[in-house]
């Protein structure tokens, strides 16, 4: 009986799978690089966003909450004033 030389059917299929997998990985990497490149170009070309209206300072929300606590009777007027001065840095 004569034995064949070479990889045979299983070996050829394995080699084809490795080549196909490598090609897929390389093409995916190239596509990601191109997407990143185009995204960077779009960001550079995009006009700067218009300045938004200034947001309400954070301390305003805190003062409003304190005023509600005072109005509900949870804080005394003196406690409210002390905390307000602390927040405003007065």
């Amino acid at each position: 009986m004569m034995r064949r030389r070479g990889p045979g059917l299983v070996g050829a299929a394995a080699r084809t799978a490795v080549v196909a997998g490598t090609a897929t990985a390389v093409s995916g990497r190239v596509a990601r690089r191109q997407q990143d490149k185009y995204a960077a170009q779009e960001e550079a070309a995009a006009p700067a966003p218009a300045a938004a209206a200034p947001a309400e300072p954070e301390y305003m929300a805190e003062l409003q909450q304190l005023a509600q606590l005072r109005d509900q009777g949870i804080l005394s007027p003196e406690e409210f004033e002390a905390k307000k001065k602390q927040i405003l840095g007065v």
Side-chain angles (χ1 to χ4, degrees), residues 36-59:
D36 292 344
K37 176 181 159 186
Y38 295 139
Q41 287 176 352
E42 287 178 8
E43 286 177 12
E56 185 176 90
E58 289 182 27
Y59 66 85

Side-chain angles (χ1 to χ4, degrees), residues 18-74:
V18 168
V19 170
T22 303
T24 301
V26 169
S27 68
R29 201 172 314 128
V30 169
R32 277 192 300 280
R33 285 184 189 158
Q34 287 177 340
Q35 287 174 349
D36 292 344
K37 176 181 159 186
Y38 295 139
Q41 287 176 352
E42 287 178 8
E43 286 177 12
E56 185 176 90
E58 289 182 27
Y59 66 85
M60 289 299 293
E62 203 171 342
L63 288 174
Q64 289 172 344
Q65 290 174 342
L66 285 174
Q68 288 176 349
L69 293 173
R70 180 198 58 206
D71 295 343
Q72 294 171 358
I74 297 171

